Amino acid sequence: MTRAATSPATEVDRWLARFSEALAGGDPGAASELFGDDGLWRDLVAFTWNIKTVEGPGGVRDLLEHTLAATRPGGWRTTEAPTEDDGVVSAWLAFETRAGRGYAHLRLKDGRAWTLVTALHELKGHEEPLRGGRPRGVEHGADPARETWLEARRREASALGREIQPEVLIVGGGQGGIALGARLRQLGVPAIIVERNARPGDSWRRRYKSLCLHDPVWYDHLPYLPFPDHWPVFSPKDKLGDWLEMYARVMELTYWGSTEARSARYDEEAGAWTVVVERAGAELALRPRQLVIAMGISGLPHVPDFPGMDVFRGEQHHSSAHPGPDAYAGRRVVVIGSNNSAHDIAAALWEHGAEVTMVQRSSTCVIRSETLMELGLGPLYSQEAVDAGITTERADALLASLPYRILPEVQIPVYERIRERDAAFYRRLEEAGFLLDFGEDGSGLHVKYLRRGSGYYIDVGASELVADGRVALQTGQVDHLTEDAVIMEDGAALPADLVVYATGFDSMNGRLVDLISRETADRVGKVWGYGSGTAKDPGPWEGEQRNMWKPTRQPALWFHGGNLQQSRHYSRFLALQLKARAEGIDTPVYGLQEVHHPS
């Protein structure tokens, strides 16, 4: 096939015809030959009932040998005109399986697949009631036994968890739990969200008062209800909290605030959990079939164990418990850490007249917010992208179409431009002694976030305070605390009335130790990261986020969360997996994750 004489549409049509024929004929070998030696197939539930990436023709063949008979894919077609850029042909596709309908994105190099992502969009017979299929809301006519919407809603909320058991219990009522709850609601899956805070949005309201989203509004929409066009680019925490509370009410979620999950036990024979929750001072046993831990990407706060913490006479707390700067005017504060929370807290304390020192123990990836918006997120998540026809759904699908294996090579050129553009900014930070990195391979903030969920700061002003010395900087390791100071390994003494430990969080599976058991936590293994072999993301290579949004080694136990974009996008795929199980649809899982790291 001569590339110069072949249009993108013709090239895609030829590839797709051969691919469809191989699948229809039950020939995994023929299908795998259509992928390049470096080809990657990322599947989001459609073939694997998992989130799984396979590599090269051998990986493709293995996937199809294990899934083709059960999946029965067909109806492959392009949904818009294919395009070509720098020798890579790209196409959007649609297809069907025995269980549902999906979309795909294909990239071809030299006539063979370089990347293919397949994603389940809906289950046949269980479509969301949208547009023309929306509910009527009220039945016209006279009926002496009429039940109003409010009466029906109150009856449902009162019965769920008592007379009727939930199919799904979601532990955690932040944006992740709320987004998943909304998806399940639209799919008709009875679910309860339990949250220790009193109201939806309190997980934001109760943080330090200067907190705001560092990602722009176009990146942060929730499912079904995008922020209005006048919403600020960066959401203040209390405004976001109010939005989450409104959203939970409008989306008719069964949300139990001031409720804490105390214990959980899985009965394999019954195929259900017994989860004891404490609500309004009383214990109640719930028996969901599926249990979802939806607490962001983080486990319990990680507080270091420095010698002398027990003799320090000042105040000390983890960043997650920081009340804000108001009480610390004129006080000496040492913030241990140099990532997002550390910078935000240090800046707010400085604004309120505190004498602040930041302790940087390891290098940090820093990117200016304006630069991130333009070069990092702008092509997919910006007003310009929206004006160019890139919807939120299209942006999410494009982002997901890049398997983790090739993300670094895509991001490295972006960060080379960023470093060149902001060279003066970075030079000032380094002259102040700040330790910078752009990831171990230069791939920047987004990849570092996916690998370890930490180690970065989106600069919204605090870097200027560090660069010009208004926030003092101390690099190195902490040796111990005294009654009134933090002592560094090099002997430097940092006088302190308050020590803030902005030292991050442990793996999310650590939350299972108290809720279920240590054995279950170890069986599930580390949550987050994908085996890149970089700091805090140990190998071997796994290629997808550990345990997120997909089946785990503990039956009927799931993890959901991430940032707002991930909560929005991946909540669909988790909800479809849960709906399929609720309806008794066969869900044979391909490539269930191996556990290499218990914690």
Side-chain angles (χ1 to χ4, degrees):
M1 179 170 58
T2 303
R3 286 291 315 283
T6 304
S7 70
T10 299
E11 188 167 346
V12 170
D13 286 346
R14 288 178 179 175
W15 187 93
L16 197 55
R18 294 175 63 192
F19 188 63
S20 301
E21 182 181 0
L23 298 186
D27 191 345
S32 69
E33 292 172 0
L34 298 172
F35 285 74
D37 292 341
D38 61 348
L40 301 157
W41 183 351
R42 187 181 194 210
D43 183 64
L44 305 177
V45 182
F47 279 69
T48 61
W49 291 106
N50 198 354
I51 296 178
K52 183 72 176 177
T53 296
V54 295
E55 305 188 5
V60 171
R61 179 168 187 155
D62 188 76
L63 182 151
L64 288 173
E65 286 177 346
H66 287 88
T67 66
L68 189 54
T71 303
R72 300 181 190 172
W76 295 86
R77 62 192 185 281
T78 55
T79 56
E80 57 190 74
T83 60
E84 183 173 2
D85 182 31
D86 197 23
V88 177
V89 174
S90 300
W92 290 98
L93 313 173
F95 66 97
E96 297 187 10
T97 68
R98 180 172 63 177
R101 302 176 187 88
Y103 66 86
H105 186 270
L106 171 69
R107 293 184 181 90
L108 298 177
K109 280 185 178 179
D110 298 322
R112 300 173 76 187
W114 177 40
T115 68
L116 174 67
V117 60
T118 47
L120 185 65
H121 183 72
E122 63 183 3
L123 295 168
K124 293 178 180 176
H126 304 287
E127 296 82 1
E128 293 186 10
L130 304 173
R131 304 180 183 88
R134 71 181 69 210
R136 289 179 59 84
V138 64
E139 293 299 327
H140 293 164
D143 182 358
R146 180 185 302 279
E147 184 179 44
T148 68
W149 171 85
L150 181 58
E151 290 167 338
R153 181 74 189 106
R154 286 175 172 170
R155 173 177 51 80
E156 176 193 22
S158 177
L160 192 59
R162 295 176 179 86
E163 292 88 359
I164 301 172
Q165 289 299 312
E167 172 70 19
V168 178
L169 181 66
I170 302 171
V171 178
Q175 68 263 15
I178 287 173
L180 179 60
R183 297 279 195 194
L184 293 172
R185 177 76 180 176
Q186 296 310 302
L187 288 170
V189 178
I192 295 175
I193 303 168
V194 297
E195 166 61 40
R196 68 176 60 186
N197 290 311
R199 298 157 52 199
D202 277 354
S203 57
W204 287 91
R205 295 187 189 98
R206 297 181 65 182
R207 297 294 301 280
Y208 53 91
K209 72 177 189 179
S210 62
L211 177 64
C212 67
L213 288 179
H214 291 185
D215 300 316
V217 62
W218 305 278
Y219 190 76
D220 294 329
H221 296 300
L222 292 175
Y224 310 114
L225 289 178
F227 293 113
D229 288 344
H230 63 266
W231 196 265
V233 173
F234 301 106
S235 299
K237 72 178 183 70
D238 296 290
K239 189 174 181 67
L240 180 62
D242 288 348
W243 180 264
L244 292 172
E245 186 168 15
M246 177 281 299
Y247 184 93
R249 180 180 292 274
V250 169
M251 296 305 294
E252 303 177 19
L253 307 185
T254 301
Y255 191 103
W256 288 7
S258 301
T259 304
E260 187 167 0
R262 292 294 191 185
S263 66
R265 178 177 56 82
Y266 186 66
D267 186 332
E268 293 193 18
E269 185 174 341
W273 291 90
T274 297
V275 183
V276 176
V277 303
E278 182 178 324
R279 188 183 190 208
E283 287 193 345
L284 175 67
L286 299 173
R287 293 177 174 81
R289 292 181 60 216
Q290 308 290 335
L291 178 61
V292 180
I293 308 299
M295 297 181 177
I297 67 170
S298 303
L300 300 173
H302 176 73
V303 179
D305 184 17
F306 297 133
M309 290 173 67
D310 57 335
V311 303
F312 180 68
R313 293 184 302 184
E315 186 179 346
Q316 52 187 324
H317 51 242
H318 189 266
S319 59
S320 60
H322 183 63
D326 294 7
Y328 304 105
R331 309 285 292 279
R332 301 167 301 176
V333 183
V334 174
V335 179
I336 298 177
S338 56
N339 298 328
N340 266 337
S341 294
H343 279 83
D344 284 350
I345 291 170
L349 286 164
W350 178 88
E351 288 177 344
H352 283 72
E355 180 184 327
V356 186
T357 299
M358 177 185 291
V359 174
Q360 185 183 32
R361 298 183 298 164
S362 60
S363 61
T364 305
C365 178
V366 177
I367 178 171
R368 297 175 63 246
S369 176
E370 294 82 359
T371 307
L372 176 65
M373 286 178 58
E374 181 180 347
L375 299 182
L377 296 175
L380 295 181
Y381 300 99
S382 64
Q383 190 58 50
E384 292 74 17
V386 172
D387 293 342
I390 301 178
T391 65
T392 302
E393 292 74 17
R394 171 62 67 92
D396 287 348
L398 280 169
L399 186 59
S401 75
L402 292 169
Y404 290 176
R405 177 67 82 180
I406 63 171
L407 263 181
E409 68 182 75
V410 173
Q411 289 291 293
I412 286 171
V414 174
Y415 276 84
E416 288 175 346
R417 292 175 61 197
I418 287 170
R419 294 169 73 171
E420 181 179 355
R421 169 177 294 193
D422 292 335
F425 166 76
Y426 290 124
R427 183 168 57 253
R428 291 182 62 231
L429 275 177
E430 289 180 320
E431 288 173 351
F434 195 86
L435 304 176
L436 283 168
D437 73 60
F438 295 90
E440 294 183 23
D441 53 4
S443 58
L445 186 149
H446 180 63
V447 173
K448 196 171 187 182
Y449 166 74
L450 293 172
R451 289 170 172 171
R452 54 185 282 186
S454 65
Y456 55 87
Y457 170 55
I458 301 172
D459 177 41
V460 293
S463 288
E464 287 298 321
L465 300 178
V466 174
D468 64 17
R470 284 174 287 176
V471 168
L473 177 68
Q474 181 75 43
T475 59
Q477 302 304 313
V478 173
D479 186 78
H480 66 281
L481 275 65
T482 65
E483 291 182 346
D484 58 2
V486 175
I487 309 300
M488 304 297 293
E489 284 186 344
D490 64 1
L494 311 177
D497 302 303
L498 166 68
V499 178
V500 179
Y501 298 104
T503 46
F505 299 81
D506 294 324
S507 176
M508 205 191 315
N509 71 319
R511 295 184 181 269
L512 303 181
V513 176
D514 292 332
L515 181 63
I516 309 174
S517 68
R518 167 61 68 181
E519 179 186 12
T520 301
D522 290 344
R523 182 186 310 128
V524 168
K526 183 179 174 67
V527 179
W528 206 256
Y530 58 86
S532 63
T534 58
K536 298 189 179 181
D537 182 29
W541 177 262
E542 299 181 53
E544 291 289 348
Q545 291 293 345
R546 299 181 185 96
N547 287 313
M548 292 298 296
W549 317 295
K550 61 185 180 181
T552 70
R553 287 282 168 177
Q554 169 59 53
L557 177 67
W558 313 77
F559 290 89
H560 176 61
N563 59 32
L564 279 156
Q565 185 275 333
Q566 291 170 310
S567 292
R568 173 186 66 243
H569 180 62
Y570 289 101
S571 61
R572 175 187 297 279
F573 303 112
L574 178 50
L576 289 171
Q577 293 173 82
L578 295 169
K579 175 65 172 178
R581 285 160 174 80
E583 297 297 336
I585 296 171
D586 190 27
T587 58
V589 176
Y590 169 79
L592 186 64
Q593 179 183 300
E594 297 290 337
V595 176
H596 302 289
H597 309 285
S599 62

